[in-house]
Amino acid sequence: MSVVASRNGTPTQAPIAPPKVVRQRRVRPGLLGLAILLIALGGLGAAFAVTSVRSTGTYLAVARPVEVGRQLTADDLVPVRVSGGRELRPVAADRISDVLGLRAAVRLTPGTLLTEAQLTEAPMLGPGQQQIALGLKPDQVPARKLHPGDKVLLVSTPDSSAGGGEARGGGTRFDGTVIDTATPENDDTVVYLALSVRDVPAVVALAADDRIALVLIGSA
């Protein structure tokens, strides 16, 4: 209570107004967590953008088809600017002089980045060897994908038209090394092989009669 003066000068008591209570707004934990998450995502986005810009570089790409074993020339390559390409470990464009003259260890496809794993200094054919291409059905090759350098054994299969033909398990055998492979649209497999010069005529004749099977004996 407080004392105030009335009109006739007699003091009277007046009620005291209660103090105002300011209610504090409660922050919901869910909203607080969402705000923290948005801030964190914003920071990650900025970091990703900076990293992408920093990882942009100029690398070598394949300009035209290059067959296995062929030496690279300047016309086979083109510089391209790529963002985030370092994870693929492509060859930088300023190193073109280092790769010219090297041989393609695998078939090079236009529009793909060039990597050192696709190149080799060694010739694909050794002394006394020739390259042949065999078109084989799926049941004539191993289930796994063949890679350049794999060691294979070519085995002749019995001649069904010879009335008995070769004894089972007694086929002629030829050693070979995989240079490259290709899969046409008909699901057959074309295997490029390095064979001894003396074995090439026999293998070609057997392949023409569809009497050859391929066995993987050593992985590269």
Side-chain angles (χ1 to χ4, degrees):
M1 301 292 288
S2 61
V3 179
V4 296
S6 62
R7 292 182 177 178
N8 55 9
T10 304
T12 60
Q13 292 183 346
I16 299 176
K20 293 184 179 180
V21 178
V22 180
R23 299 181 59 184
Q24 295 184 349
R25 181 176 297 178
R26 297 180 58 187
V27 179
R28 297 175 60 184
L31 294 178
L32 179 60
L34 179 60
I36 295 175
L37 178 61
L38 291 176
I39 294 173
L41 290 177
L44 289 176
F48 177 78
V50 172
T51 302
S52 299
V53 171
R54 289 180 179 177
S55 62
T56 299
T58 304
Y59 305 101
L60 293 176
V62 181
R64 62 182 182 179
V66 179
E67 296 299 322
V68 176
R70 188 161 66 81
Q71 289 182 307
L72 289 180
T73 66
D75 294 334
D76 298 324
L77 305 173
V78 61
V80 294
R81 191 164 181 81
V82 179
S83 177
R86 289 184 300 180
E87 293 78 7
L88 303 176
R89 297 187 178 180
V91 179
D94 57 6
R95 293 188 53 217
I96 186 171
S97 60
D98 296 335
V99 300
L100 292 181
L102 296 181
R103 299 179 184 273
V106 297
R107 186 187 302 104
L108 301 181
T109 305
T112 59
L113 292 176
L114 183 70
T115 65
E116 292 186 3
Q118 298 172 320
L119 306 175
T120 180
E121 295 181 358
M124 302 304 295
L125 297 176
Q129 287 186 326
Q130 288 181 334
Q131 176 179 319
I132 67 170
L134 294 181
L136 304 175
K137 294 181 174 60
D139 59 353
Q140 293 176 304
V141 296
R144 66 179 288 276
K145 180 177 175 61
L146 296 173
H147 300 281
D150 286 349
K151 301 298 181 182
V152 297
L153 187 66
L154 299 176
V155 182
S156 63
T157 57
D159 186 358
S160 59
S161 63
E166 302 176 26
R168 291 184 180 276
T172 308
R173 304 181 179 188
F174 310 92
D175 293 318
T177 302
V178 175
I179 295 178
D180 196 13
T181 61
T183 304
E185 295 181 358
N186 59 2
D187 291 333
D188 287 352
T189 300
V190 178
V191 184
Y192 300 90
L193 296 171
L195 295 178
S196 172
V197 173
R198 66 176 182 272
D199 294 337
V200 169
V203 171
V204 171
L206 289 169
D209 292 337
D210 198 19
R211 294 182 49 217
I212 199 77
L214 187 147
V215 180
L216 177 66
I217 59 176
S219 300

